[in-house]
């Protein structure tokens, strides 16, 4: 009986707010439009510039604020999370937290 309950729980869909995905999709669409229009650099270009500067850190992934054009890249080094903020227009690092 317990095994059946655990299996049912494991196979059930994850509870995600109904409005979470469309909002995220709109942000991605806005960011893609800004990149296509040349207002911000593509993510692979940002990653090529930043990742080599983070020796010894594991790259966990990006976020972008389509309103400001600021990319935030997340890294992990020695158990510490490091956030690197990058101006999407110039590719310049504008801030770090977590060293």
């Amino acid at each position: 009986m317990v095994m059946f309950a655990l299996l049912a729980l494991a196979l059930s869909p994850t509870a995600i707010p109904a409005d979470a995905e469309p909002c995220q999709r709109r942000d991605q669409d806005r960011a893609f439009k800004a990149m296509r229009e040349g207002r911000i650099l593509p993510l692979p270009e940002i990653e090529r510039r930043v990742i080599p500067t983070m020796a010894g850190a594991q790259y966990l992934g990006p976020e972008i604020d389509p309103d400001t054009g600021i990319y935030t890249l997340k890294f992990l080094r020695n158990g510490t999370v490091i956030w690197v903020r990058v101006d999407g227009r110039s590719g310049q690092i504008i801030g770090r937290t977590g060293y």
Side-chain angles (χ1 to χ4, degrees):
M1 182 70 163
V2 172
M3 286 297 283
F4 178 74
L6 290 173
L7 181 60
L9 181 62
L11 296 176
S12 66
T14 305
I16 299 175
D19 61 344
E21 190 173 318
C23 181
Q24 182 180 17
R25 185 73 192 145
R26 282 191 301 269
D27 284 351
Q28 289 173 348
D29 290 343
R30 289 175 36 224
F32 180 73
K33 182 180 179 192
M35 191 247 344
R36 196 177 61 237
E37 293 173 351
R39 292 184 284 132
I40 61 172
L41 295 168
L43 176 61
E45 177 63 26
I46 297 295
E47 291 171 334
R48 273 193 293 277
R49 294 176 184 209
V50 176
I51 292 172
T53 71
M54 299 299 295
Q58 177 186 0
Y59 180 48
L60 301 177
E63 292 181 9
I64 184 163
D65 181 337
D67 294 325
T68 63
I70 303 288
Y71 286 93
T72 303
L73 279 57
K74 184 177 180 182
F75 295 86
L76 182 64
R77 181 188 295 140
N78 300 325
T80 301
V81 176
I82 304 165
W83 299 91
V84 179
R85 292 174 36 91
V86 182
D87 183 326
R89 293 175 301 263
S90 68
Q92 296 295 311
I93 295 173
I94 57 175
R96 289 180 200 235
T97 59
Y99 295 92

